[in-house]
Amino acid sequence: MLNESITAVKGIGEETAASLAEMNILTVRDLLEHFPFRYEDYRLKDLEEIKHEERVTVEGKVHSEPSLVYYGRKRSRLTLRVLAGRYLIQAVVFNQPYLKNKITLNDTVTITGKWDQHRQIITVSQLHVGEANRAHDFEPVYAVKGKLTVKGIRRFINLAFSQYGDQIEETLPVEYLQAYRLMNRKDAMKILHFPTGPNDLKQARRRFVYEEFFYFQLKMQALRKIERENSRGIGIHYVLQELMNFIDSLPFSLTDAQKRVVNEILADMKSPYRMNRLLQGDVGSGKTAVAAIALFAARTAGYQGALMVPTEILAEQHAQSMESMLASFNIRTELLTSSVKGKRRREILQQLHEGEIDILIGTHALIQEEVEFNHLGLVITDEQHRFGVNQRRVLRQKGESPDVLFMTATPIPRTLAITVFGEMDVSIIDEMPAGRKAIETYWAKPDMLDRVLGFMEKELVAGQQVYVICPLIEESDKLDVQNAIDVHSILSHHFAGRYHVGLMHGRLHAEEKETVMSDFSQNSIQVLVSTTVVEVGVNVPNATMMVIYDAERFGLAQLHQLRGRVGRGDKQSYCILLADPKSEVGKERMKIMTETNDGFLLSEKDLELRGPGDFFGRKQSGLPEFKVADMVHDYRALETARNDAAQLIQSEKFWKEDEYLLLRNYLQSAGVLEGEKLD
Ligand code: ADP
Ligand code: MG
C-alpha cells in the first residue's frame, strides 16, 4: 500500500523518517510524489556552443600527465590537458588529489564544470574516468531540508520504487490519456525520478501537468456546481421598470460591456441559485455604476445590499457617489467603518437590523459578527483581491445566502482567474466609456527631477492638480527610497506661496485622512504627496498628473492601478515614472508601462515577470501549489483541464459510473461533496 508509512520501505529507518517528516513526507506515496524541482543536465556538448562561464559536460582524451600542486594546509590543485573535440583545454580539479593516480595519459574522461572561454579552462566539479554514461544525462535535483541530502533522497526514492513501484496506479480517466496521448502514471513517475532522455522527460512532465491541473479543476468545478445548485439562494425579483428608470437617470448611457455584465448579474440575481460572480474591469471602466444598478435592483425587490471595500477612504468615496446616484430614488445609504463609533454606530446597527437602511457601505468592519442585516440580498466587494479567501467565505455566509459579486480593478490574468477564482463565474468589462483619453506615461531618471517639476508647474498653472506617490512613509536605513514626508517638505518649499501641498499616508488617523482627501477633492490642496493609500478607487477628476517616485519598486499591476487615479476627467492626463532600475527586467517593466494602457496586458506581463506568488502577495493569495505544473507556462494545459473537468462534472456518467469512482472519492476526501468550502 502506498499509504503505508515510509518506514515500511526497507532501508528507511526511524531517523530518516523523522527527517523526511519535516518535509511533510510521511507515506510511501508522499515520497514517490516528491518530484525533482529541476535536473542537472550532463548531456555532452560541443564547446563551440558553450558561452563563457556556462556549465558544460564534455568527453575527451587525457593529453598530458596530470600535475598536482598542494597549497595551504589541505588544499590541492590538479591540472591536466584534455583534448575535447577540436579543443585542447585545461581541466582544473581542486581538492581531489587522489584522482592523480587514477588518470593516465590517453584515458578517456568525462568532465563537468564551468567553462572559461578566454583561457580555455574548465574548472571541474565532476570528473569521471571513462566514457559518458548516457543513462545519467539528466540528474534529478530535489528539495531537501535539515540533514537530508539530494543524494540521500535519490537513494530513498530508488528504494521505494523497487519495493512499491508496481503498486502505482493510474489516476486519470482513460479518455483523457487517449485524447492527449498521455503517459501512464507509473511510467511517468519513474521517468521523472530516473530520467532516460529529454523527450521522455518532457512527456512525463506533460502527463503530471495535466493530472495536477485536472484534479485541481475537478475540485473547483465540483464546488462551483454544488454552490450553484445546492445553495439555498434567493431569487431576487427586481422590478424592471423601476430599474430602467434608474439607469435612465444616470448622467451617461451604459457602454455595451456594462450592459452585458449588468445582464449577466441580473440573471444570476433572479435565479434561485446563489450568485458567486467575479466582475473584472480596468480602472475607470465603470464598475461602480454596475454595482449601483445591481444594488438598486435588489432594493426594488425589497432586499438590502452591502458594498464592501478595503480602505476607509474608498468607503467614503463610494458612499458619496452611491448617495448621489440613489438618494433621489428614496434609497437610504449609510457608511459604516471602524471610525464610526459609539452612539452613531449603535444607531446604524439598529436601523440596519430593522431594515431602515437599504444599502450599507463600508470596510471589512461590515463582516463583523455584530453587524446584522434585516434581509440582506446582495453583497458586493470592490477591489476584492485585497480580501483573503477566508474573508470571501465569511461574506458568503452572512445573511440568508445573499448573492455575492466580487469586483476587481486589477485585471487578473486569465490563467490566475481560472485557478484562484475557478469556482466562480466571471464577467468582464472590456471596454472604456467613450471619449476617455489614454494617459500619457513617461519614464524619467531621478536626475531629471527639475524638468518633472517644470511639467508639474504647467499643469498647476492650468488649474489642474497633481498626485505624487512615494513607496514609504518615513526614512528607512534599509531602503534607499524617497519617502513621502521628505518629498512633502521639499515640494512644500518649492511651491510655497503658490500652491498647497498635502500629505497623506496610512499612519494618519482616519479623520486626518478624510480632511486631506476632502481638501484635495475640493482643490484647496493642489499637490497631494501620498503613499499607496490612494491606490484604490479614489476619484478626483481634476487631477491630471501623477508622479511616482521609485516606480521600479512597484508591480506593473499596481503602477497601473495607481496611474488610474488620473485620466478620470476629460482633460489629457500624464503619469511620470521616476525610476532608475538597475536590472534589465526593471527597465523592461518601466518601458512596458510607457507603451500600454491596457491593464490586462500589463497584468499578464507582471505575472510573467514576477510569477504568481508575488502577483497577489504570497500569504493571502490562496494560490494552489502545484508540484510539477506551472500556472504561467502551462496555461494552455490549465485551460484544457478546466474545460474537461467542467464537462465531466456536468455529465451524468461522472456521478454514476465505476470508472469515475476514484475521482468521486477524491472529491469526497477533499471535502467538496459534503458541500464544505475549500481553503
Ligand atoms: P471603476 O470603478 O471601474 O474604476 P468608475 O465606476 O469609478 O470606474 O467610473 C469612472 C468614471 O467613469 C466615473 O466618473 C463614472 O461616472 C464614469 N462612467 C461610468 N460609466 C460610464 C459610461 N458608460 N459613460 C461615461 N462615463 C461613465
Ligand atoms: Mg471603482
Side-chain angles (χ1 to χ4, degrees):
M1 284 288 292
L2 298 184
N3 289 335
E4 279 180 80
S5 154
I6 37 173
T7 49
V9 176
K10 288 190 196 86
I12 295 186
E14 293 296 338
E15 203 174 326
T16 305
S19 299
L20 289 167
E22 277 177 47
M23 301 182 70
N24 269 328
I25 299 173
L26 306 174
T27 65
V28 177
R29 185 190 309 280
D30 294 339
L31 182 59
L32 291 175
E33 292 180 3
H34 185 63
F35 294 124
F37 66 91
R38 69 179 180 89
Y39 295 89
E40 211 68 83
D41 182 354
Y42 289 115
R43 280 178 296 175
L44 291 179
K45 297 267 167 61
D46 192 329
L47 281 171
E48 214 155 317
E49 303 158 21
I50 305 303
K51 295 196 195 78
H52 182 56
E53 305 236 293
E54 258 178 19
R55 206 177 141 284
V56 63
T57 300
V58 293
E59 200 181 78
K61 265 206 159 44
V62 177
H63 205 75
S64 71
E65 286 292 348
S67 77
L68 181 63
V69 184
Y70 280 95
Y71 60 100
R73 269 194 66 220
K74 281 188 179 161
R75 307 213 217 164
S76 71
R77 184 175 60 226
L78 185 74
T79 313
L80 58 149
R81 300 184 77 78
V82 175
L83 184 65
R86 322 190 279 105
Y87 286 78
L88 184 59
I89 60 164
Q90 224 179 71
V92 180
V93 194
F94 288 99
N95 306 327
Q96 296 184 54
Y98 51 88
L99 282 176
K100 182 173 166 41
N101 297 328
K102 293 194 174 169
I103 300 170
T104 24
L105 206 61
N106 287 326
D107 272 353
T108 296
V109 287
T110 307
I111 54 180
T112 300
K114 197 158 90 179
W115 173 227
D116 183 332
Q117 195 178 37
H118 310 313
R119 302 196 297 157
Q120 310 253 302
I121 292 176
I122 291 181
T123 306
V124 174
S125 56
Q126 272 203 34
L127 186 150
H128 152 80
V129 181
E131 285 170 12
N133 183 348
R134 304 311 298 249
H136 291 149
D137 270 356
F138 292 93
E139 211 169 61
V141 182
Y142 295 93
V144 289
K145 228 183 195 173
K147 286 187 207 148
L148 293 168
T149 62
V150 173
K151 271 199 175 138
I153 299 262
R154 278 189 209 142
R155 198 166 64 79
F156 302 140
I157 288 176
N158 206 347
L159 290 171
F161 238 99
S162 48
Q163 198 176 332
Y164 287 91
D166 287 339
Q167 295 184 29
I168 298 166
E169 281 168 5
E170 187 47 62
T171 52
L172 284 173
V174 66
E175 58 200 279
Y176 304 117
L177 291 174
Q178 279 172 358
Y180 307 122
R181 296 165 189 269
L182 297 175
M183 204 180 262
N184 74 56
R185 192 168 212 264
K186 183 178 155 190
D187 290 350
M189 199 175 246
K190 188 152 187 180
I191 288 170
L192 285 187
H193 290 300
F194 313 101
T196 42
N199 205 41
D200 286 352
L201 206 47
K202 198 169 141 196
Q203 294 304 327
R205 196 179 166 275
R206 196 166 68 85
R207 185 240 136 80
F208 275 102
V209 168
Y210 184 82
E211 179 190 306
E212 285 190 309
F213 284 157
F214 180 78
Y215 269 72
F216 174 69
Q217 287 294 344
L218 196 72
K219 205 159 68 177
M220 294 307 246
Q221 297 304 321
L223 200 60
R224 177 161 172 257
K225 179 182 157 76
I226 287 161
E227 286 234 333
R228 265 186 91 80
E229 295 174 8
N230 299 357
S231 61
R232 293 176 299 116
I234 36 180
I236 297 182
H237 298 282
Y238 55 88
V239 184
L240 187 61
Q241 193 51 52
E242 285 181 40
L243 190 58
M244 295 305 275
N245 291 344
F246 172 65
I247 293 173
D248 286 343
S249 80
L250 295 172
F252 42 75
S253 49
L254 298 180
T255 62
D256 288 344
Q258 280 172 317
K259 282 182 202 158
R260 192 185 62 239
V261 304
V262 163
N263 281 326
E264 287 166 355
I265 292 164
L266 289 177
D268 274 1
M269 287 171 62
K270 204 170 184 175
S271 85
Y273 302 145
R274 190 161 52 164
M275 172 162 68
N276 187 21
R277 186 171 284 277
L278 177 71
L279 173 61
Q280 292 190 53
D282 209 340
V283 195
S285 62
K287 292 183 299 298
T288 313
V290 171
I293 292 168
L295 289 166
F296 187 98
R299 177 68 194 82
T300 66
Y303 286 100
Q304 290 172 301
L307 177 59
M308 219 168 93
V309 298
T311 66
E312 302 218 344
I313 299 176
L314 195 53
E316 282 148 26
Q317 286 225 347
H318 272 308
Q320 271 172 25
S321 62
M322 286 291 159
E323 167 125 30
S324 72
M325 282 189 267
L326 296 165
S328 61
F329 289 85
N330 206 17
I331 291 180
R332 177 144 171 233
T333 56
E334 207 52 77
L335 175 70
L336 185 69
T337 61
S338 51
S339 50
V340 177
K341 292 193 177 92
K343 181 156 171 278
R344 177 94 192 97
R345 185 179 191 85
R346 283 196 301 278
E347 264 170 30
I348 289 179
L349 289 176
Q350 193 188 344
Q351 291 170 357
L352 188 73
H353 190 52
E354 283 163 7
E356 286 165 34
I357 293 170
D358 300 312
I359 295 169
L360 189 67
I361 296 151
T363 53
H364 53 266
L366 286 200
I367 55 172
Q368 283 163 8
E369 305 253 327
E370 46 158 355
V371 180
E372 269 181 59
F373 288 81
N374 186 294
H375 42 290
L376 180 61
L378 174 65
V379 176
I380 301 180
T381 77
D382 198 3
E383 317 296 348
Q384 70 94 32
H385 72 271
R386 297 185 146 227
F387 294 110
V389 182
N390 286 333
Q391 277 161 305
R392 244 156 67 196
R393 285 172 54 183
V394 174
L395 200 66
R396 270 190 303 219
Q397 284 153 6
K398 259 219 125 61
E400 306 286 299
S401 309
D403 281 335
V404 183
L405 179 68
F406 300 96
M407 305 201 296
T408 175
T410 306
I412 298 167
R414 233 191 108 59
T415 36
L416 285 188
I418 68 175
T419 41
V420 186
F421 309 115
E423 90 283 16
M424 303 171 80
D425 297 299
V426 179
S427 291
I428 300 177
I429 308 185
D430 51 4
E431 179 189 0
M432 286 292 186
R436 216 40 86 64
K437 289 196 180 68
I439 300 161
E440 284 179 26
T441 301
Y442 301 97
W443 166 25
K445 297 275 174 66
D447 58 11
M448 291 156 77
L449 187 61
D450 279 349
R451 283 178 60 190
V452 174
L453 287 173
F455 197 165
M456 278 169 74
E457 184 107 27
K458 248 175 75 186
E459 289 300 293
L460 292 166
V461 169
Q464 307 304 135
Q465 290 162 275
V466 180
Y467 291 102
V468 177
I469 308 295
C470 307
L472 289 184
I473 303 170
E474 276 168 50
E475 226 168 287
S476 144
D477 297 336
K478 286 196 203 113
L479 290 171
D480 177 26
V481 290
Q482 291 286 341
N483 57 75
I485 291 170
D486 270 5
V487 170
H488 174 253
S489 90
I490 293 167
L491 293 182
S492 300
H493 189 253
H494 182 83
F495 291 118
R498 293 179 294 147
Y499 302 105
H500 294 286
V501 182
L503 176 63
M504 169 78 147
H505 56 69
R507 291 206 203 138
L508 295 182
H509 293 297
E511 304 92 71
E512 295 174 299
K513 279 189 209 163
E514 199 173 333
T515 312
V516 177
M517 249 358 268
S518 80
D519 284 354
F520 190 61
S521 45
Q522 286 155 22
N523 201 0
S524 40
I525 288 175
Q526 286 77 44
V527 179
L528 182 62
V529 177
S530 173
T531 58
T532 54
V533 286
V534 295
E535 180 184 345
V536 280
V538 169
N539 192 23
V540 181
N542 193 48
T544 54
M545 184 175 183
M546 174 174 283
V547 178
I548 306 178
Y549 275 78
D550 298 297
E552 74 270 23
R553 294 194 175 274
F554 299 100
L556 293 182
Q558 198 183 7
L559 285 173
H560 182 63
Q561 184 87 34
L562 283 164
R563 174 170 71 177
R565 298 311 107 214
V566 296
R568 299 178 83 83
D570 45 15
K571 298 258 172 30
Q572 178 60 52
S573 289
Y574 307 94
C575 174
I576 313 287
L577 307 170
L578 275 177
D580 194 9
K582 297 288 182 274
S583 69
E584 284 311 308
V585 172
K587 287 174 189 159
E588 170 85 347
R589 293 171 67 231
M590 292 305 109
K591 241 181 97 227
I592 297 167
M593 284 302 296
T594 64
E595 285 166 1
T596 183
N597 268 288
D598 180 338
F600 274 96
L601 193 83
L602 283 169
S603 70
E604 295 281 356
K605 279 279 172 202
D606 215 11
L607 180 62
E608 210 177 288
L609 295 172
R610 298 202 305 168
D614 283 349
F615 188 85
F616 277 121
R618 216 166 275 281
K619 273 209 185 104
Q620 59 147 32
S621 71
L623 284 176
E625 294 214 359
F626 299 111
K627 291 178 184 169
V628 177
D630 175 323
M631 281 192 290
V632 181
H633 294 105
D634 303 318
Y635 78 96
R636 276 176 203 285
L638 181 57
E639 291 198 343
T640 308
R642 174 186 152 100
N643 293 340
D644 291 342
Q647 262 183 30
L648 189 62
I649 287 287
Q650 291 303 333
S651 70
E652 255 176 54
K653 64 179 183 184
F654 177 75
W655 303 99
K656 282 192 193 139
E657 289 174 18
D658 283 353
E659 198 191 336
Y660 303 105
L661 185 64
L662 185 75
L663 297 178
R664 292 200 299 271
N665 284 343
Y666 161 74
L667 291 179
Q668 189 103 38
S669 67
V672 177
L673 291 191
E674 275 91 23
E676 274 178 39
K677 286 166 204 82
L678 299 166
D679 264 324

